[in-house]
Amino acid sequence: MDSVHARPIPSLINFRSLDSSRSSSSSKNRFVSFGSGPRNGYSPDVMEASNGYKRKIVTGSAGYVLEDVPHLSDYIPDLPTYPNPLQDNPAYSVVKQYFVNVDDTVAQQIVVHKDSPRGIHFRRAGPRQRVYFEPDDVLACIVTCGGLCPGLNTVIREIVCGLYHMYGVKKVLGIDGGYRGFYARNTITLTPKVVNDIHKRGGTIIGTSRGGHDTSKIVDSIQDRGINQVYIIGGDGTQRGASVIFEEIRRRGLKVAVAGIPKTIDNDIPVIDRSFGFDTAVEEAQRAINAAHVEAGSVENGIGVVKLMGRYSGFIAMYATLASRDVDCCLIPESPFYLDGPGGLFEYIEKRLRENGHFVLVIAEGAGQDLLAESIHSMDKQDASGNKLLQDVGLWISQKIKDHFSSQSKMTTNLKYIDPTYMIRAVPSNASDNVYCTLLAQSAVHGAMAGYTGFTVGPVNGRHSYIPFYRVIERQNNVVITDRMWARLLSSTNQPSFLSAKDVVEDKREEEPPTQNLDEEEDSDDTAVKKEVSHM
């Protein structure tokens, strides 16, 4: 048995440190499980959840809960380990501590009462003292799936350069064209020279697509090619596919690490602080809002309508509105609204036109879909990724506004509609996202080399962590319209909330009762898991 990694006992998951000879506090901990297992608080086994996923949960004192990620040694015994090449890397010679402490975990909630339990934690990301791959034996691959997002090329570049310069890995492939590229297209050889300048370009140099997920064919391709590290960049649907790929790899007993990098321009992935590309999207949205404001302010009763991304979550629209301060009304999927009658949108537009002479409306693409009654027949259609095909709410609401003021209010208006969606998606990432993408990529590389698998990497309260796949695919992150950030927006725009007092009470009842979380931001992460933990 390797001195730095205890071999897992058959049928049990070993929660001891994965990379240190120090004895852990596992003797003080108990193993628990979610799903159909016993509810008496403890169980000697890690039970399967309803989806068949074996969750690694360990509890400690004071209500401490670690939602750990899988490790190759969980299902492959007697794996050899090797010294981490970083200790001989001259670039890291100035670093006081090369490696992350094996006991480091990151708390999901950081604002707590003095007597509240410590709550859910995740394993901290970073380099480990021992690695589970010899650099010369590594054949890594990178795949991008779903829609475009600023920063894709930066992540690709930094995975390649991180593997090459930090760990001496020379063989990295790009899978051409998303998931179906594993079995339907050629691969692209990636080297630091090939990826040197790609962060200055938008899009992805290895191509992307929606759908095309055939688990058996994908894993067959991985096995046939001898790939042993898979880096999957994509949104919640892509991460769901990555979880299935990992499960099949585990079932076959392959020594293949699967690491996910969460990508969604909408910022709708839960648990993590934000997804890459979001900052760039908000920044670029400012250009469209500014153009709408200029157009609206230059004519009599000018109205500028800007449609932004946000299929299910209105974060881009909300943050762009707050940053702009030129917006009179922001409509998002989470906040219902109505057009006619007292307190409706039309009445508010007319009021602001009479006060200011112009009006700027920002609307997320998923807002108001329930009001498009004439197009309701298409609401059940989906794209290749399984997302609903939405009607163009920007064109619809623009026409509704024109019809209202021409036929009912008898007020002459000049409306300009701007849809910058594809322009925003296609730009290179800004400075903030470039740095963020670098950290994501390097954290994923450190995790894969250390033998972790079946995880998504991302910042939790500012610290990069390894998060089990099931946590990022269980639900979507949404704007909480009874939270302070949405209240700040309403205060900024002076728009009506379009909610009655009854609506607010009902919405609050649906939220998790406040326990340890006093954070003022939208931190309502994973109510279901919290309820499970509360039963321990």
Side-chain angles (χ1 to χ4, degrees):
M1 178 163 53
D2 187 80
S3 61
V4 297
H5 192 286
R7 211 171 106 194
I9 302 171
S11 82
L12 295 179
I13 297 295
N14 180 11
F15 285 94
R16 285 200 262 178
S17 63
L18 300 178
D19 48 9
S20 172
S21 57
R22 292 187 304 159
S23 61
S24 73
S25 58
S26 59
S27 60
K28 299 178 183 178
N29 295 334
R30 302 273 188 167
F31 299 101
V32 301
S33 65
F34 295 159
S36 58
R39 291 300 187 94
N40 62 358
Y42 305 105
S43 169
D45 295 299
V46 175
M47 300 291 184
E48 288 194 7
S50 58
N51 63 352
Y53 190 96
K54 296 182 185 295
R55 303 185 179 188
K56 294 176 63 174
I57 310 294
V58 61
T59 60
S61 60
Y64 174 91
V65 178
L66 170 63
E67 295 197 26
D68 208 353
V69 296
H71 193 273
L72 293 173
S73 61
D74 294 341
Y75 62 91
I76 304 176
D78 301 319
L79 278 176
T81 65
Y82 314 95
N84 193 320
L86 273 179
Q87 64 188 8
D88 301 318
N89 190 319
Y92 282 77
S93 61
V94 297
V95 180
K96 291 182 180 179
Q97 183 176 346
Y98 286 127
F99 306 112
V100 171
N101 189 297
V102 296
D103 294 326
D104 281 358
T105 58
V106 179
Q108 183 172 359
Q109 303 292 353
I110 58 172
V111 181
V112 297
H113 295 287
K114 63 178 181 179
D115 298 323
S116 60
R118 293 175 64 190
I120 296 173
H121 291 65
F122 302 102
R123 187 168 292 278
R124 184 183 176 190
R128 266 58 179 173
Q129 283 183 322
R130 308 288 292 185
V131 295
Y132 282 73
F133 293 93
E134 289 252 54
D136 290 341
D137 296 335
V138 173
L139 175 56
C141 75
I142 306 171
V143 63
T144 54
C145 305
L148 295 182
C149 177
L152 281 171
N153 278 335
T154 306
V155 174
I156 294 169
R157 181 189 190 279
E158 298 309 320
I159 291 174
V160 174
C161 292
L163 285 168
Y164 191 96
H165 295 304
M166 292 190 297
Y167 288 97
V169 172
K170 303 297 193 296
K171 295 175 289 186
V172 185
L173 301 176
I175 304 300
D176 186 12
Y179 274 137
R180 62 171 52 90
F182 276 102
Y183 54 86
R185 299 193 184 186
N186 294 326
T187 58
I188 302 168
T189 300
L190 300 176
T191 65
K193 184 176 181 180
V194 170
V195 301
N196 184 49
D197 293 326
I198 64 173
H199 62 291
K200 300 175 184 177
R201 291 182 255 160
T204 164
I205 64 162
I206 58 178
T208 186
S209 67
R210 298 187 183 276
H213 189 281
D214 187 316
T215 305
S216 181
K217 288 183 178 180
I218 290 171
V219 178
D220 285 346
S221 175
I222 291 171
Q223 192 169 1
D224 293 343
R225 294 176 187 271
I227 294 170
N228 50 19
Q229 289 187 12
V230 182
Y231 297 92
I232 300 175
I233 310 169
D236 57 342
T238 300
Q239 301 304 311
R240 190 173 291 108
S243 177
V244 175
I245 291 170
F246 156 69
E247 283 295 328
E248 177 62 16
I249 286 172
R250 181 182 62 83
R251 189 188 68 80
R252 298 188 189 187
L254 305 178
K255 186 187 176 184
V256 179
V258 180
I261 295 94
K263 174 233 62 168
T264 168
I265 204 169
D266 294 343
N267 197 41
D268 59 1
I269 291 181
V271 182
I272 65 174
D273 296 343
R274 76 178 194 278
S275 53
F276 74 83
F278 176 71
D279 275 0
T280 305
V282 172
E283 184 177 297
E284 287 298 311
Q286 299 302 294
R287 303 179 191 274
I289 293 173
N290 182 61
H293 185 247
V294 170
E295 288 282 353
S298 300
V299 294
E300 181 184 5
N301 292 329
I303 299 175
V305 176
V306 179
K307 186 186 78 171
L308 296 176
M309 293 78 71
R311 181 179 294 273
Y312 304 112
S313 303
F315 287 105
I316 291 179
M318 179 174 72
Y319 277 83
T321 295
L322 280 167
S324 169
R325 304 289 173 172
D326 288 331
V327 178
D328 295 289
C329 186
C330 175
L331 302 175
I332 61 174
E334 296 89 338
S335 181
F337 65 94
Y338 56 96
L339 302 178
D340 298 292
L345 179 63
F346 292 152
E347 181 184 80
Y348 175 59
I349 294 175
E350 186 170 344
K351 174 176 177 290
R352 293 306 290 265
L353 285 176
R354 295 189 187 282
E355 291 174 350
N356 300 332
H358 65 274
F359 186 90
V360 176
L361 171 68
V362 168
I363 185 166
E365 62 182 320
Q369 291 294 318
D370 56 326
L371 298 179
L372 277 68
E374 63 273 20
S375 303
I376 200 69
H377 61 277
S378 65
M379 291 291 286
D380 294 330
K381 294 183 178 180
Q382 298 179 335
D383 62 18
S385 296
N387 300 312
K388 286 184 178 179
L389 287 175
L390 304 180
Q391 297 299 298
D392 192 329
V393 71
L395 286 174
W396 171 80
I397 203 165
S398 296
Q399 191 59 51
K400 283 289 187 180
I401 293 171
K402 289 178 183 178
D403 293 344
H404 172 80
F405 283 100
S406 63
S407 62
Q408 297 186 33
S409 293
K410 308 297 182 184
M411 178 185 288
T412 301
T413 59
N414 291 277
L415 187 145
K416 299 295 187 295
Y417 172 52
I418 299 174
D419 180 359
T421 300
Y422 294 107
M423 295 176 64
I424 292 175
R425 288 177 12 154
V427 300
S429 53
N430 63 11
S432 173
D433 270 325
N434 266 335
V435 174
Y436 180 33
C437 289
T438 300
L439 298 179
L440 284 173
Q442 291 187 2
S443 294
V445 168
H446 291 318
M449 291 297 297
Y452 294 112
T453 182
F455 69 87
T456 291
V457 66
V460 178
N461 294 316
R463 294 286 186 177
H464 282 248
S465 310
Y466 298 135
I467 305 162
F469 277 137
Y470 66 84
R471 285 305 308 273
V472 299
I473 63 178
E474 286 177 329
R475 56 177 291 273
Q476 287 180 313
N477 193 31
N478 298 112
V479 174
V480 180
I481 61 172
T482 54
D483 203 13
R484 293 185 187 177
M485 188 59 79
W486 185 246
R488 293 183 182 112
L489 181 141
L490 297 179
S491 176
S492 171
T493 62
N494 292 313
Q495 71 186 67
S497 68
F498 301 109
L499 289 175
S500 66
K502 179 181 177 183
D503 293 327
V504 173
V505 170
E506 290 179 351
D507 189 79
K508 286 184 177 179
R509 283 176 181 168
E510 293 176 359
E511 295 178 16
E512 180 75 1
T515 52
Q516 68 187 74
N517 178 26
L518 299 179
D519 199 346
E520 64 180 10
E521 308 303 338
E522 41 282 343
D523 289 331
S524 55
D525 284 326
D526 201 355
T527 300
V529 172
K530 288 181 183 177
K531 287 181 178 178
E532 291 282 1
V533 173
S534 69
H535 284 90
M536 294 176 184

